[in-house]
Amino acid sequence: PQVAVDARGRIYVAFGVGNAIRCARSDDGGRTFAVATVGEAGTLALGMRRGPRIAVAGESVVVTAIVGREGKGRDGDLFAWRSTDAGSSWRGPVRVNSVEGSAREGLHGMTAGPDGSAFCVWLDLREKGAQVYGARSRDGGATWEPDRLIYQAPGGTVCQCCHPSAAVGPNGELAVMWRNVIDGSRDMHLA
């Protein structure tokens, strides 16, 4: 499960059940939750730090997940859903990665900025070896800018078992972190 809190103090928790993506919302500080189905688009990547991510981007709640027809690392794309009514109803999915099947590793992260934008980062397999790619939405997850390479590992791959993460600072600066592989060392790197 992943959690986000909006400016009104509502708590949102995104999680997967089988191949369904769910969002639980609490309006009373976590004492009670109402659960809604966000969507289902195929075989959902779950387990081993895989699963839906959630962020509040302005007036939108955005949930992302990696889904494929077959799953289990054979295929997978990063999709986004959005709600503009505090999680009561959902629109989407919208595919975020531009190369079909390139997010099949199933590991990704998401954050939102104070300007209502959302940013996703994922391990991408469009080339040989895992690289770090990212994409931004400036409209609360409705549309996404073309994805771009954040980091290309000099040794051909970053760590394939650790999900990248992203955070936005108070002035809108974006930070992306991942576990790298350089000359056998698996250290955290930041861009």
Side-chain angles (χ1 to χ4, degrees):
Q2 298 285 309
V3 66
V5 179
D6 70 14
R8 295 185 185 123
R10 292 179 290 212
I11 302 167
Y12 302 90
V13 180
F15 57 98
V17 177
N19 290 321
I21 301 160
R22 304 276 170 81
C23 179
R25 184 185 86 203
S26 175
D27 296 336
D28 58 11
R31 289 184 289 285
T32 62
F33 284 87
V35 178
T37 297
V38 174
E40 194 168 331
T43 303
L44 181 61
L46 285 175
M48 304 294 290
R49 295 172 299 281
R50 292 169 177 86
R53 303 294 191 253
I54 190 165
V56 176
E59 294 299 314
S60 297
V61 180
V62 182
V63 170
T64 56
I66 295 178
V67 178
R69 287 181 298 282
E70 298 178 57
K72 309 247 185 270
R74 292 183 289 275
D75 63 356
D77 292 303
L78 178 58
F79 289 100
W81 291 259
R82 85 190 273 252
S83 173
T84 56
D85 59 6
S88 295
S89 64
W90 294 87
R91 285 180 255 165
V94 174
R95 192 171 87 189
V96 177
N97 59 305
S98 64
V99 175
E100 188 173 334
S102 65
R104 66 187 173 273
E105 185 62 48
L107 296 167
H108 80 291
M110 183 174 55
T111 190
D115 62 352
S117 65
F119 183 81
C120 280
V121 59
W122 65 93
L123 296 188
D124 192 279
L125 295 168
R126 66 186 68 193
E127 304 290 334
K128 185 177 178 174
Q131 308 303 326
V132 180
Y133 269 75
R136 178 174 44 189
S137 170
R138 294 180 189 265
D139 56 10
T143 61
W144 293 81
E145 294 175 357
D147 58 13
R148 58 185 256 191
L149 178 67
I150 304 297
Y151 179 79
Q152 184 167 6
T157 188
V158 297
C159 181
Q160 304 94 346
C161 65
C162 297
H163 70 85
S165 60
V168 176
N171 297 321
E173 58 279 339
L174 175 66
V176 174
M177 188 172 69
W178 66 95
R179 189 171 183 206
N180 212 345
V181 179
I182 298 178
D183 297 329
S185 295
R186 291 179 177 253
D187 297 315
M188 302 310 292
H189 278 69
L190 182 71

